């Protein structure tokens, strides 16, 4: 008799990605944590927005989040 295990969510991925109601995967952008003084306000403001994960990477993230 085969044993069935529940799959666990990858906790590191769960902290970094969010799934929207329509199924899009959102992520934070890089370069917004420190050394902000030299970056323009426009740049840091745009880096504050969430970006969408798509393509092969979206599939990979969905697997980590348990949405296979």
């Amino acid at each position: 008799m085969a044993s069935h295990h529940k799959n666990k969510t990858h906790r590191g991925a769960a902290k970094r990605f969010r799934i929207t109601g329509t199924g899009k995967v959102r992520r934070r952008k890089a370069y917004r944590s420190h050394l902000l003084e030299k970056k323009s306000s426009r740049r840091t403001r745009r880096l504050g927005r969430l970006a969408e994960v798509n393509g092969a990477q979206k599939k990979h993230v969905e697997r980590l989040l348990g949405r296979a």
Side-chain angles (χ1 to χ4, degrees):
M1 189 168 141
S3 63
H4 297 288
H5 297 291
K6 277 187 160 186
N7 290 323
K8 298 201 174 192
T9 303
H10 188 291
R11 298 314 292 161
K15 291 165 191 173
R16 289 176 173 91
F17 302 100
R18 272 188 266 167
I19 294 173
T20 64
T22 55
K24 292 178 182 174
V25 178
R26 310 300 299 276
R27 63 170 175 84
R28 276 193 62 210
K29 290 189 180 178
Y31 307 109
R32 178 89 197 290
S33 54
H34 65 126
L35 300 176
L36 299 174
E37 207 171 358
K38 60 181 80 170
K39 296 165 193 166
S40 69
S41 300
R42 179 186 181 198
R43 183 176 170 193
T44 54
R45 190 163 55 244
R46 292 189 174 182
L47 288 172
R49 298 181 189 165
L50 292 176
E52 191 179 340
V53 178
N54 37 34
Q57 299 206 309
K58 181 181 178 192
K59 290 261 186 289
H60 192 80
V61 171
E62 283 177 335
R63 270 200 68 174
L64 293 173
L65 296 177
R67 303 179 97 239

